Amino acid sequence: ELVVQFQVLNQSCQCLAWKPRPVGVWPCPGESQHVVAGYSDGTVRVFSVSRTEMELKMHPHAAALTAITYSTDGEMILSGGKDGIVAVSSPRTGMTIRVLADHKGSPITVLQCIRKQYHDFGVEGGELWLATSSDRRVSVWASDWLQDKCELLDWLSFPAPAGPEGLDSLPPSLAAFCPWEHGVLVYVGFALQKEALLYSLRKKQVLRKISLPAFATSLSLSPAAPFMAIGFGDRLLRLQPCPSGDPQDYAGHDDAVHLCRFAPSGRRLLTASHNAVLVWELTGA
C-alpha cells in the first residue's frame, strides 16, 4: 500500500535517508517522521512524512548528489556529490556548516554515521562517520558537530588493476561499520581479488578476507547478527556469516542486485534490482 508520495518536478532523487530517533526515546503521538533526499541539481530536501509536506530545501552542492545520511542524533545532514565534495548542513537553520574536499574528483558512494565515544580511539567526538568514493578510497572521521569538531581518524586506499573500462562501469566502492565487531569496517569494491575485506581501525590493518564469487554491487551488515548481505551483478544475493561459515546464495532477481538493506531488527532484508523490490524474512538468522 502506497502511504505517501512526494514529487519534485524535473529532478531525479539520487539518495535518501530517514531521520533517526534519539536513543531511548519512544515515538510520541503525532510526532513527525522525516526523510531527507538528495537530487540531481545539487539540492537537499527534507520532507515530513506525517504532514506530507516539504519542510526545507537547501543547495549545498554544485553537482548531483550521490549519497546522504543524518548524523546519529539527527541534528546534521551529511551529503556527498558526484564531484566528491561532502557537505555538512543543519536542518534547523538550513546552513551548511562544513565542506570537505578530501574526496574531490570522485563520486561519493557511501556516507555512514555511528555513535562512538572519543576515548575508543583517543580523539574527541561522540560519533564516527565514513565517506567512500568511487576511486576506492575510504575516509573515517570523528566528529562533534555542536562543538564544530571534525577530525580525520583514518584514510584507506585500496589497490586495483588497471582496466580499459571507465570508472562508471566498474563495481561500486562500498564500506560499512561492523555492528557486531566494534572498531572494524567492511569494504567491497573493484580490486585485485574478488573479496570482502574486514579492516581494524585500531590495528590499522586488514584482519580478514572473505572470498566472493564476483565483485559486489551492494552491501548491508545485519545489526542483530554477524551476517553480511551482498548483491552481485549476475542476479545473485548472498547471505555471508562472519567471521566464517558457509554462505547461502539466493536467486529471485531479474537484474543486478544494486541495493541491500537490513531492517533495524535484522529479521528482514530488502533488496532491489532494476524493476523489482524483494523483502526477505530471515527466520534462521
Side-chain angles (χ1 to χ4, degrees), residues 92-240:
R92 291 184 181 273
T93 65
M95 300 291 291
T96 297
I97 65 168
R98 189 179 287 262
V99 175
L100 301 167
D102 299 73
H103 290 266
K104 186 176 181 179
S106 184
I108 301 297
T109 53
V110 178
L111 290 169
Q112 185 191 7
C113 299
I114 61 168
R115 287 182 175 84
K116 188 66 64 176
Q117 296 301 317
Y118 68 90
H119 54 74
D120 286 351
F121 296 97
V123 294
E124 295 189 19
E127 76 178 22
L128 292 184
W129 64 275
L130 64 78
T132 308
S133 51
S134 294
D135 56 0
R136 301 171 303 281
R137 294 185 296 168
V138 182
S139 60
V140 182
W141 307 75
S143 62
D144 185 339
W145 301 119
L146 297 181
Q147 299 295 325
D148 194 29
K149 292 180 179 179
C150 182
E151 182 177 346
L152 182 65
L153 186 66
D154 210 337
W155 183 268
L156 314 177
S157 296
F158 295 95
E165 305 90 357
L167 194 63
D168 292 339
S169 65
L170 295 177
S173 302
L174 305 172
F177 290 112
C178 191
W180 60 83
E181 194 169 352
H182 295 306
V184 172
L185 63 83
V186 176
Y187 172 84
V188 295
F190 184 60
L192 300 174
Q193 304 292 333
K194 300 179 180 70
E195 56 193 6
L197 304 177
L198 280 74
Y199 176 88
S200 170
L201 292 169
R202 290 188 179 91
K203 297 182 178 180
K204 308 287 188 182
Q205 67 183 37
V206 174
L207 298 177
R208 291 186 295 277
K209 299 179 180 181
I210 300 175
S211 296
L212 302 176
F215 290 117
T217 53
S218 54
L219 171 73
S220 184
L221 309 186
S222 170
F227 283 93
M228 293 191 295
I230 307 172
F232 298 98
D234 56 358
R235 307 183 298 279
L236 181 71
L237 171 68
R238 169 166 289 191
L239 195 63
Q240 174 72 54

Side-chain angles (χ1 to χ4, degrees), residues 53-70:
E53 65 181 16
M54 185 180 76
E55 291 189 349
L56 179 66
K57 176 183 175 182
M58 300 179 286
H59 201 157
H61 293 272
L65 270 80
T66 52
I68 199 163
T69 191
Y70 275 96

Side-chain angles (χ1 to χ4, degrees), residues 8-36:
V8 176
L9 298 178
N10 303 319
Q11 297 298 331
S12 59
C13 179
Q14 312 276 41
C15 47
L16 54 83
W18 286 93
K19 181 179 180 179
R21 283 198 182 95
V23 173
V25 176
W26 291 94
C28 301
E31 179 188 16
S32 178
Q33 289 183 296
H34 292 86
V35 172
V36 63

